[in-house]
Amino acid sequence: MATYAPQELAVALKDGLLSFPVTPFAGDGEIDEALYRAHIDWQSSFAIGGLFAAGGTGEGFSLTPEESARVVRLAVETAAGRTPVLGSAGGNTAQAIQNAQAAEAAGAEGLLLLPPYLTECDQDGLLEHASAVCAATSLGVIVYNRGNAVYSAQTVARLAERHPSFIGFKDAIGDIEQLTRVHATNGDRLFYLGGLPTAETYALPLLQLGLSTYSSAMYNFAPEFALAFYRDVRALDRAAVTEKLSQFVLPYLDIRDRTKGYGVSIVKGGMKAVGRDMGSVRPPLQDLTDRDREDLSALIDAAGIR
């Protein structure tokens, strides 16, 4: 049973760095439960605001519903109350409801609602999809604004009016006008977090638009660097943020952008570089090439992150 009521969870999450733990796979492609527990234990040992299990960086898109539920349960058990653990819900509406209810049964504190599995949908259909998931669980729900799930300010307001358990808006589009409209329309009714790939790149300007936090993928292998970066953002220390961007984040992006799908692969490459190998990614993703892994390892060394 969740420890936090939905609005209490929003308060707990809005002023702390968030992250998505990677899911380790053994040589046969199966989830390595012991390695996952060790990773969650390490990730929970820092002052992190919350962890999203079975999310994007956790390759939730490649997990079966049963695997997703297992990963969430392992994360909840291992974090043991040190930090809130949230589950993820994706796919069609029925599958998203299944994910949501399984996450709640596993003891998750909240839920990230991923885009539905459709080539396209309009606002009324998107509202009903999100509303069905909110109605199916007592957990606090955060919608993920990305892909085919681009929520208008009015749709967000209608969802908030229907469901007190709808608590957050995560953005991976970066449309300044849309973010301005969503925040101006909904105000403090929700909390807002950044979810663009390698969110550190956009964190400082998005803070000015009301996105008080973001999800850091690099926290997986560089927790102290990621937390220091977040503190600099919240302190509005532009010089410190720019230094860290130049020192590590932007060169990291250069490696990430060499191949499509490297957003997750490079995080697992970073785990290997710091001596915490989490195995390979599942297809259709692909692991870093030897050259890319060597370049990443050198960058980590040069930045003093290892």
Side-chain angles (χ1 to χ4, degrees):
M1 183 176 180
T3 303
Y4 295 88
Q7 291 303 321
E8 292 173 338
L9 180 64
V11 171
L13 297 179
K14 72 182 184 69
D15 292 318
L17 184 66
L18 309 174
S19 189
F20 287 75
V22 296
T23 303
F25 300 116
D28 59 1
E30 294 301 306
I31 296 168
D32 189 323
E33 293 192 3
L35 202 53
Y36 188 65
R37 284 185 181 276
H39 185 51
I40 295 295
D41 185 55
W42 184 52
Q43 299 280 276
S44 301
S45 69
F46 297 90
I48 185 75
L51 297 173
F52 292 81
T57 308
E59 297 178 73
F61 46 81
S62 76
L63 301 177
T64 67
E66 294 75 18
E67 287 177 326
S68 179
R70 179 154 46 110
V71 164
V72 174
R73 185 174 296 280
L74 288 168
V76 169
E77 292 174 355
T78 306
R82 287 174 289 174
T83 188
V85 172
L86 293 85
S88 304
N92 58 54
T93 304
Q95 181 181 324
I97 288 173
Q98 182 182 357
N99 288 153
Q101 293 176 337
E104 182 169 5
E109 298 288 355
L111 189 75
L112 178 66
L113 178 58
L114 304 171
Y117 186 70
L118 284 173
T119 55
E120 58 185 13
C121 52
D122 211 338
Q123 292 298 307
D124 286 344
L126 191 57
L127 172 66
E128 294 308 321
H129 171 76
S131 185
V133 176
C134 287
T137 176
S138 65
L139 297 178
V141 176
I142 301 163
V143 298
Y144 203 171
N145 188 67
R146 71 175 297 169
N148 62 315
V150 180
Y151 295 80
S152 71
Q154 291 70 34
T155 298
V156 173
R158 291 165 69 191
L159 189 62
E161 183 177 3
R162 283 190 192 181
H163 301 284
S165 60
F166 170 41
I167 61 170
F169 180 87
K170 180 176 182 180
D171 177 66
I173 301 294
D175 184 324
I176 292 175
E177 180 178 337
Q178 183 204 13
L179 291 174
T180 299
R181 289 181 181 276
V182 169
H183 191 275
T185 301
N186 295 279
D188 292 338
R189 168 63 181 82
L190 304 171
F191 85 101
Y192 307 87
L193 58 152
L196 284 159
T198 312
E200 282 82 359
T201 318
Y202 314 91
L204 189 57
L206 290 183
L207 179 64
Q208 306 302 309
L209 294 176
L211 282 71
S212 61
T213 186
Y214 54 88
S215 55
S216 171
M218 65 177 60
Y219 175 82
N220 274 277
F221 64 88
E224 292 172 330
F225 177 88
L227 288 166
F229 193 105
Y230 180 67
R231 288 192 295 269
D232 291 339
V233 169
R234 293 302 301 266
L236 299 176
D237 190 339
R238 182 173 296 277
V241 168
T242 300
E243 180 182 4
K244 289 181 174 63
L245 286 171
S246 300
Q247 173 195 36
F248 183 73
V249 178
L250 297 180
Y252 175 88
L253 297 185
D254 290 338
I255 300 171
R256 183 204 69 185
D257 291 343
R258 291 175 184 173
T259 298
K260 290 181 179 180
Y262 259 13
V264 176
S265 307
I266 195 170
V267 177
K268 283 197 166 175
M271 296 298 304
K272 184 173 292 187
V274 299
R276 294 177 175 271
D277 192 350
M278 294 285 116
S280 295
V281 293
R282 278 181 173 174
L285 300 183
Q286 60 193 70
D287 292 323
L288 300 187
T289 65
D290 290 342
R291 178 205 163 192
D292 294 339
R293 189 167 54 250
E294 290 167 2
D295 289 348
L296 177 60
S297 184
L299 175 62
I300 288 171
D301 282 340
I305 288 175
R306 196 188 304 272

